[in-house]
Amino acid sequence: NASSCQAVHSRKDSILEPLCFPDQPADTSSPPGVQCPGSEPLVCLFCSESVPPPRKDVLLRHLLMEHKLVIADVKLIADVPKYLLYWKGRFLEQPLTDFCSVIKTNSTGPVEKQEDYFLLCDVLPEDRVLREKLQQKRLEEVLEQQQKERDDSSFHRLCMFCSEEFTGNRSSLLNHMAREHSFSIGLPDNIVYCSEFLDTLQDKLDSLQCLYCEKTFRDKTTLKDHMRKKAHRRINAKNHEYDRFYVINYLELGKTWEEVQSEDDRELADDEDDDWSDWQAHPVSAVCLFCDHQSETLEQIYAHMKEAHGFDLHLLKTELNLKFYQQVKLVNFIRRQIHQSRCYGCTRMFDCRADALRHIAAEGHVMKLPEMSAWDQPQYYFPTYENDALLCTLSDSEEGDGDEEHRGEEIPVIAEDISNLRALKQRTRVIRLTQRRL
């Protein structure tokens, strides 16, 4: 949670990947790429440390803090234990720098404050081949399971909406729900682990939970009326609990069913007969830098921060002549300092985020920024919160049209000594966000 206190200082700098502002109940399930078969332990690539699969984050933190290694896109690795064992062996044979890109932190600061971190990612052809082989093996297992379900004639289940009984093949039930109840979870041939999928949906309905917005209602009649009136007879595309039930997630490395659905939506965008009004039920909201307040427009969130907290981002942008990427770094810097329970104005540490915010307000440090060299660093191109909509509200400084041809020169370089920058930039979330401004 973005507002939770962090009591142990040693953990505050251990941000392994972008955080997320909460927009729905935490989902403890894993996308198909990270489901470890069996109970094979996850081993450290450099020492004897090992953990069970459910404690994967503990091992990732260990790799970062003890060995300064970051593995990119762990969520997309089909078999994490085998992946780690492979690289453990390879690192015994050759130096780490033969395989990893080197990321230098604080690259413009004093040499004694610079640190080298190592990035293992599929920019390296050997890593890419390994990931694809693991993905291929998982795909073969899933297709075998799917074929068993296609051939299964012992399927027996009641419809979730009208209790009509279906036997034989699963497709009869899925087609019935789509045709009679306007509820489609996809074509039968695109689904795997179908019985488990239907069990998951049935459990949600039995808990009086809407399948689309996932709100809980007081009785079955109210839930039924809500799903009908709001056209919520569909599943929530943002809920990764469903990822493992779609074959598309296993077919193409790194591509999820949500992305496929988005592509289909764009193709149908010109169809005036379709009603997409229910997609507006969850507008993207920007979260305040200092509290949990959310606003749906740029003017509202800027006005809130100025009136409630005395923070004027427009004024800072004007006084410091901040360009777009500098604004991105400043926002990410402030987010990270507050997440780490640190005052960004005087660098004082606190036991929790709430204490840090009280200090910032009481000491008048809201508009007090450190030297630009402290936050104008490559590491702050990376968003602290992956779904930070405030970054989308930032705008370029007012420049003449003649500067358009020079804007490409502002594209960030993560560090001076990273190999294959073009490929790495394509993999970086923040660059995909900021390049939309170009």
Side-chain angles (χ1 to χ4, degrees), residues 157-224:
R157 200 174 189 97
L158 299 178
C159 173
M160 294 186 293
F161 302 104
C162 67
S163 297
E164 184 175 342
E165 186 176 8
F166 291 86
T167 58
N169 191 278
R170 60 183 184 163
S171 60
S172 58
L173 171 59
L174 299 183
N175 290 335
H176 162 81
M177 291 194 298
R179 183 179 59 252
E180 301 297 331
H181 304 290
S182 300
F183 179 80
S184 175
I185 56 176
L187 297 175
D189 285 346
N190 294 338
I191 293 172
V192 68
Y193 307 118
C194 183
S195 293
E196 186 179 344
F197 194 0
L198 294 173
D199 286 340
T200 301
L201 298 177
Q202 186 67 60
D203 287 344
K204 290 181 180 292
L205 291 177
D206 291 344
S207 301
L208 304 178
Q209 187 179 54
C210 174
L211 299 177
Y212 178 67
C213 69
E214 303 190 334
K215 293 180 181 178
T216 301
F217 295 84
R218 66 177 180 270
D219 55 54
K220 193 170 183 177
T221 301
T222 306
L223 171 61
K224 182 178 178 180

Side-chain angles (χ1 to χ4, degrees), residues 33-34 36-37 42 56 74 77-85 134:
V34 300
C36 300
L42 307 180
K56 179 186 66 179
V74 178
I77 299 175
D79 192 333
V80 178
K82 286 186 172 57
Y83 178 89
L84 294 173
L85 283 173
L134 295 174

Side-chain angles (χ1 to χ4, degrees), residues 64 96 109 119 205 207 255 263 266 283 337 350 380 414:
L64 176 66
L96 183 63
L119 176 66
L205 291 177
S207 301
K255 196 168 188 177
E263 291 173 2
R266 287 195 294 271
Q337 301 307 300
F350 295 86
Y380 296 116
I414 306 302

Side-chain angles (χ1 to χ4, degrees), residues 111-308:
V111 175
E112 61 272 13
K113 292 186 178 181
Q114 295 179 5
E115 289 187 286
D116 287 344
Y117 284 78
F118 302 94
L119 176 66
L120 180 60
C121 67
D122 62 3
V123 170
L124 178 71
E126 183 176 351
D127 186 270
R128 179 73 180 181
V129 169
L130 174 61
R131 292 176 186 238
E132 289 176 347
K133 285 182 177 178
L134 295 174
Q135 185 80 3
Q136 180 64 29
K137 186 175 184 300
R138 178 59 55 84
L139 173 61
E140 291 171 0
E141 296 171 354
V142 167
L143 292 180
E144 182 180 354
Q145 172 65 25
Q146 185 192 40
Q147 189 61 46
K148 289 180 180 179
E149 294 181 15
R150 284 177 174 173
D151 299 337
D152 181 21
S153 59
S154 62
F155 181 86
H156 179 269
R157 200 174 189 97
L158 299 178
C159 173
M160 294 186 293
F161 302 104
C162 67
S163 297
E164 184 175 342
E165 186 176 8
F166 291 86
T167 58
N169 191 278
R170 60 183 184 163
S171 60
S172 58
L173 171 59
L174 299 183
N175 290 335
H176 162 81
M177 291 194 298
R179 183 179 59 252
E180 301 297 331
H181 304 290
S182 300
F183 179 80
S184 175
I185 56 176
L187 297 175
D189 285 346
N190 294 338
I191 293 172
V192 68
Y193 307 118
C194 183
S195 293
E196 186 179 344
F197 194 0
L198 294 173
D199 286 340
T200 301
L201 298 177
Q202 186 67 60
D203 287 344
K204 290 181 180 292
L205 291 177
D206 291 344
S207 301
L208 304 178
Q209 187 179 54
C210 174
L211 299 177
Y212 178 67
C213 69
E214 303 190 334
K215 293 180 181 178
T216 301
F217 295 84
R218 66 177 180 270
D219 55 54
K220 193 170 183 177
T221 301
T222 306
L223 171 61
K224 182 178 178 180
D225 289 343
H226 162 82
M227 293 181 66
R228 177 177 56 83
K229 293 178 180 178
K230 294 290 186 180
H232 280 190
R233 286 190 174 181
R234 62 181 72 183
I235 59 177
N236 184 356
K238 294 182 180 180
N239 189 337
H240 295 295
E241 181 181 6
Y242 305 129
D243 287 356
R244 66 185 301 266
F245 303 120
Y246 289 87
V247 177
I248 184 64
N249 287 328
Y250 305 90
L251 293 177
E252 188 171 344
L253 188 64
K255 196 168 188 177
T256 68
W257 69 286
E258 182 183 1
E259 293 169 326
V260 174
Q261 186 181 60
S262 297
E263 291 173 2
D264 293 341
D265 288 346
R266 287 195 294 271
E267 292 175 2
L268 298 173
D270 295 331
D271 190 344
E272 296 180 358
D273 294 332
D274 289 334
D275 180 14
W276 299 98
S277 58
D278 54 326
W279 284 99
Q280 298 175 6
H282 300 281
V284 176
S285 297
V287 180
C288 173
L289 288 169
F290 307 98
C291 69
D292 294 332
H293 176 82
Q294 298 186 27
S295 297
E296 297 176 11
T297 68
L298 178 152
E299 292 78 11
Q300 289 175 351
I301 192 63
Y302 278 38
H304 164 79
M305 289 193 294
K306 184 176 180 181
E307 295 169 5

